[in-house]
Amino acid sequence: LRSLHFKASLGSELVQAFRFTHYVKTQTTYSMKIERISGAGAQGGVATDFKCDANVSAQAAESHNGAEISVNVKFEPNNIGESRAILLITNPDGVEYSCLLYGHASAPQPQPITKIVNTKTVNIEFKNPLSEKCEFAIRFDNPCF
């Protein structure tokens, strides 16, 4: 069984490609789902830290060597710690592929310093890395703010 390993800080994301060989001699569509194994980043059996498209199309394999299909898997942690899941890929003909997904989320990384010039407005991009709405406090190192 193949696997993908991810390391990302809370608030960031990492995308890796899972590749498999499609041997079917007809065009088909593979369905994909990600299921939690155990640990953080899971709610009701669904792995919330890992994401991928629901389907991928594959052209007919033209030779006995098959055709390589690539699926992007995104790891976007919402908890610090370990996440484990399994990517299940199936088609209507009963062909199945699977990949173990291992994620490690570390503490958030500091954002770069933003200079604010007198009387100017500056937008600061911010992303809530948690899986639910939450209030955040903002801290300034200058007492004038």
Side-chain angles (χ1 to χ4, degrees), residues 31-42:
S31 298
M32 298 178 292
K33 67 179 179 177
I34 297 174
E35 293 182 353
R36 150 183 106 133
I37 294 175
S38 67

Side-chain angles (χ1 to χ4, degrees), residues 93-106:
D93 299 322
V95 177
E96 295 182 0
Y97 298 91
S98 59
C99 177
L100 292 173
L101 306 174
Y102 297 99
H104 175 79
S106 58

Side-chain angles (χ1 to χ4, degrees), residues 3-142:
S3 63
L4 292 176
H5 296 262
F6 299 82
K7 285 187 178 185
S9 61
L10 195 62
S12 67
E13 62 185 50
L14 179 63
V15 176
Q16 291 189 47
F18 172 69
R19 292 176 177 82
F20 64 95
T21 305
H22 164 73
Y23 293 101
V24 180
K25 301 289 184 194
T26 59
Q27 181 177 349
T28 189
T29 299
Y30 287 93
S31 298
M32 298 178 292
K33 67 179 179 177
I34 297 174
E35 293 182 353
R36 150 183 106 133
I37 294 175
S38 67
Q43 298 172 343
V46 176
T48 59
D49 286 354
F50 298 100
K51 295 176 179 62
C52 68
D53 290 335
N55 299 300
V56 63
S57 294
Q59 298 298 321
E62 295 181 8
S63 75
H64 66 282
N65 293 330
E68 184 178 81
I69 307 296
S70 182
V71 174
N72 285 331
V73 178
K74 179 167 65 170
F75 176 60
E76 189 174 13
N78 55 32
N79 287 302
I80 295 175
E82 304 295 322
S83 294
R84 290 179 293 201
I86 188 163
L87 170 63
L88 301 170
I89 303 172
T90 59
N91 79 358
D93 299 322
V95 177
E96 295 182 0
Y97 298 91
S98 59
C99 177
L100 292 173
L101 306 174
Y102 297 99
H104 175 79
S106 58
Q109 297 298 307
Q111 297 299 312
I113 294 173
T114 303
K115 286 189 174 189
I116 302 174
V117 182
N118 223 2
T119 68
K120 298 245 177 169
T121 301
V122 174
N123 288 325
I124 299 174
E125 294 293 322
F126 177 79
K127 177 181 175 182
N128 177 4
L130 307 176
S131 60
E132 56 193 40
K133 288 185 178 182
C134 185
E135 285 191 29
F136 292 89
I138 189 166
R139 185 174 64 186
F140 297 96
D141 62 359
N142 187 323

